[in-house]
Amino acid sequence: MKNRHLLSLALLAGTALFSVVPASAAEPEAPGKLIEIATALSQRSDGQGMLDYARLLRAGVPVDPQNPLLVSDFGKARTVLEAALTIPGPHQSEAKLTLAKMLLAGEGGSFDINRALSLLEQAGRSGVAEAAYIAGRTMVERQMNAPEAKARLQMALRLGYGAAAFELAGLAGTPETEAQSMARFGIGLLERRAASGDARAAYDLATYYRETASSDVALRAALDWYQKAVELGHKRSIFWIARLQMDSVGSLFNPAEAARYLDQAAETGDVEAAQELVKDFTESGDINIDQATFDKWMRRLAGIKDAKAVLYFSVQLQNTLENRQKLSDDLFSQVMGGETRDVDTLMRIGTMFRDGDGVIADARKALDVFGLTVGRQSKDGTVQFAQLLLEKPELRTDERLTAARNGLATTAAAGSINAIVLRGDFSLHGVGQAVDVDDAMAWYSKALAVRPSVRVLNRLADAALLSPNAEQKALSLGWLEKADALGSDAAMLKLGKLYAEGQIVPVDVSKATELLERAATKGRTDGLIELANLHMRIGGPDAFEKAYAIFQRAVDKGNVEASVEMARFLKTNGRLAEAIPLLETAARAGNFSAAIDLHDVLSVQDGESAKAREFLELAANVPDLLPADRLLLAAALLKSPDPLLNLRGVNLAKEMAGAGYPGAASMLASTYLDGEKSERNIDEARGVLETGIAYGDIEATIMMADLLLDGVHTPADPQRALGYYDRVLALQPKNPSINLKLARMFAEGMGVKIDKARAAAYLQTASDAGSRSAQRELGLAYLWGAGVPQDRELARANLQASADAGFDRAWHDLAALESSGFAAPIDPEAAFAFNYKGAKRGDAAAMIDVGLSLLSGFGVPHDGEAGIAWLEKAAATRTEEGPLAMYRLYEAYKSGQGVDRDAEKANEWLARAAAANNPSAMFQTALTLRADSSPALQAEGLIWLKRAQALKHNQANKILVKMAAADPHFEVPKMEVVDENDEP
């Protein structure tokens, strides 16, 4: 309400209304002239010259003399400003003001409000009114020290900065009469300054009317003051004149004038104005931009690599998924039909399908097109054909692998370095053959003999590191040192990691640091990550600060990727609040990863807030994404509750699934099965998965197998599931997840005949591939002799390794081993020690056993209080063991096991355990109720019996079966009986 009162008073006070000025006012500077000015300023080393150069860099300089659009260089501007501040002179105050603005916006580096406020205070004390105003406004916005903020604004007003009056009027707690008086004062001051030729005063007054407008009169006043500002030479006001006349429901709507002013604003270098012109044409907006205007600004925006423009252009050219698919299919049909025979053209088209450049990315189509060039003995085509087979195992067939090997052999014999290296890659990675490190190194050595290069040296080192032979492994050091000497950043990184981790060479932190720093200096962001991790591994009181400083130096140099990695580092170390500004700066600079990370963070913090959606849309607008990023974007869009964003996610997933991109089919099928983001459609999900399987998509194959195994969304068919799992193993024989699934399938007889030996073999493969869960289950197999001979030492070794690797349940299993008496006397102390380790790491089963041991004095001195505490801690967990812990507490209080008997507490824990679906607690509750003489309580007891039976409680089932035998009208569901000890 206050703003409405202020505006009304301002209008009553009288506002000078200016006649419409021609759109030719505020003439644009010729692009070539601005480039010349920037070049001249870059040569100056005096303080004022450096300040002027920094301001120009911040405002933007054209990229070429024919394109007026301004491109800012915030990183260089910030560097120049920092240098200007080291030179004494009258420019200092304005330099501080400009740098403070950049620090507050995170332009060219990190966001730093504390330093910004310090610089603004210094500039304000020197009489710079705008500095005092920005300081006060910033403090108000961030709710910092209200009296100090007010003092800054009052200083700005005393120095003649009229807009400060509006901020003062809006301060919380300002009496209405005082606010009105302050607004009138501000309006009058700005009017007088504008009348004397101050363009910024006219702009500030126009902005005040626009932001507080509650009537058509106020909007008209805003438009007139923007017109006056333009007349006085304020270029940004041109854009706002256009915006005020673009609103089709507003009283100022004038499409022709809006278009004219947008065009003029764009001619002055305003990128946002050019974007609005392109957007209106693409989206058939209200101001009716014509084709010629669109083409002009589209070309110019593309010239500065503007992300939004590229998006609009893509939307215009590729209006629907169906049209894009038809374009891709038609082009592919023409090529495969023989209409294109030129090898160079075939290479370009193959690359288009590989990268999704102008067509839908499709690796299979790309491979077929490159295959045509192999038949024509193209060296480059052969290399691209083989490279795709190396990168995408799902595309491999015997016929294609034979063609690739033969083609590489011929091309390599002709001296092609790329072919020789790829032939080595096939051997190193086992493409169409067994892995053969020696053969790979022989091929790489041939390539090195033809022409030494850092790429080949790195390949030799990689192969040597994979060798099981220690002497051969040691050769990698020499190869990497040679590559390092030739300036290879990859070699620097690898050497740094070797010295940091003590592989082949002794640990040498100093050497590792020097190598990683050099790699980082050459732009390797992963070098920064390794260096930071090194400091964190070394530890010490200043480890975090050292790691932080490493990232900060790179961020200060304008390295956007470093900003993203620094944010991830801060997030990992519990400093999310500091990470968010870094991600925001990087995201607004067009970094896709930052936008996605920030969307995920904000979604977790605030749900799908407007700001989270903003960054998801920003990520969606980043052009030229790699297929992996497009898949990541699709996943994020599919999670969004916004229906429009979600629809974009579905369409993007459809496009990628239709082209056989790995992971897209399973993502889209999940959407159809969930029915949350699109209509539930089981048949569509199966169809999508079958398409993915036809493309060799491993994730689609696994998902189909899982569906057939669990039988939830489709009729169960374990044999077909087994066939799909075997298909995956044919491509990835050491896939730990699939081997573990198959192990459980055969161990438990899930649709197949139980085969413990086969299950154990799968467990061994999965364990060797790094699965901690499989290693634990393999240990249990050796403990109980399930498919393998009982072997205490192998059981212990596997369980210990799994526990040491972080699978905490294995500690409980080790305790069971020590309590089993298998091949060694029972060791209660060792059992307790293992359980205690697991309990400390959060394993609920171990907590229960620790509690029971303390209550009983088994392996540890009796401590009833501590025993109860551990059981209560287990009961509080949201795990399967939580209800069991509640039941154990019932038993302890009921029987007085290690604690005083307490019927009230016992009944309390029994009720909680039964409510949490513990079948034993349900059974005991049923017995208690059925022992009562009340028919109502007996009926309730019968309900509890049936609930316990539904959870496969054997004794509950026996009682219900007896009741059914005695009463022909009593029905009881059948239950597969599992033997268990009777309960009291």
Side-chain angles (χ1 to χ4, degrees), residues 52 199 236 253 266 290 415 483 614 689 700 872 914:
D52 292 343
R236 180 60 174 170
F253 181 56
D290 59 36
E614 174 192 353
L689 290 175
E872 289 180 346

Side-chain angles (χ1 to χ4, degrees), residues 726-743:
D726 285 340
R727 188 182 298 189
V728 174
L729 286 187
L731 292 171
Q732 297 179 352
K734 296 182 180 180
N735 184 303
S737 174
I738 300 304
N739 277 284
L740 183 57
K741 284 177 185 286
L742 288 169

Side-chain angles (χ1 to χ4, degrees), residues 696-709:
D697 184 344
I698 289 176
E699 291 186 39
T701 308
I702 293 172
M703 186 172 181
M704 179 66 89
D706 290 345
L707 290 175
L708 292 168
L709 187 62

Side-chain angles (χ1 to χ4, degrees), residues 15 44 60 77 105 225 228 299 401 409 466 485 502 558 695 723 732 739 744 799 905 934:
T15 302
R44 290 177 58 176
W225 280 108
K228 178 63 175 178
R299 285 194 301 272
L401 289 170
L466 291 173
Y695 272 107
Q732 297 179 352
N739 277 284
R744 291 172 176 169
L799 291 172
K905 287 185 176 179
S934 165

Side-chain angles (χ1 to χ4, degrees), residues 344-520:
D344 289 340
T345 302
L346 289 173
M347 287 295 297
R348 284 197 298 274
I349 294 172
T351 304
M352 288 169 63
F353 280 112
R354 184 194 65 194
D355 300 337
D357 181 11
V359 295
I360 293 176
D362 191 325
R364 189 178 296 270
K365 285 185 171 71
L367 188 70
D368 287 344
V369 175
F370 287 136
L372 295 177
T373 70
V374 174
R376 295 170 193 180
Q377 298 184 339
S378 165
K379 293 180 181 178
D380 291 339
T382 299
V383 167
Q384 293 298 335
F385 183 81
Q387 186 69 42
L388 265 179
L389 290 176
L390 176 68
E391 295 172 357
K392 297 187 177 296
E394 67 272 13
L395 298 180
R396 297 172 192 166
T397 64
D398 290 342
E399 181 181 355
R400 287 170 175 166
L401 289 170
T402 299
R405 281 195 297 269
N406 291 341
L408 287 176
T410 301
T411 308
S416 168
I417 296 291
N418 289 331
I420 298 171
V421 170
L422 265 174
R423 188 61 189 83
D425 291 344
F426 271 42
S427 295
L428 186 63
H429 298 289
V431 179
Q433 63 180 80
V435 172
D436 190 335
V437 174
D438 291 335
D439 188 54
M441 293 187 70
W443 281 103
Y444 296 148
S445 296
K446 288 180 183 178
L448 196 65
V450 175
R451 185 169 64 247
S453 71
V454 295
R455 178 174 66 131
V456 177
L457 289 167
N458 274 289
R459 284 291 211 293
L460 279 164
D462 292 341
L465 286 169
L466 291 173
S467 173
N469 184 304
E471 291 184 7
Q472 197 172 49
K473 195 183 289 283
L475 293 174
S476 63
L477 186 64
W479 300 124
L480 289 174
E481 286 175 342
K482 287 181 180 178
D484 174 28
L486 293 172
S488 168
D489 50 22
M492 296 171 196
L493 182 63
K494 292 171 189 174
L495 280 170
K497 292 175 70 173
L498 290 178
Y499 281 107
E501 298 169 5
Q503 296 183 46
I504 304 174
V505 292
V507 172
D508 188 331
V509 173
S510 176
K511 185 75 172 173
T513 300
E514 181 261 329
L515 285 160
L516 293 173
E517 282 182 344
R518 283 202 285 119

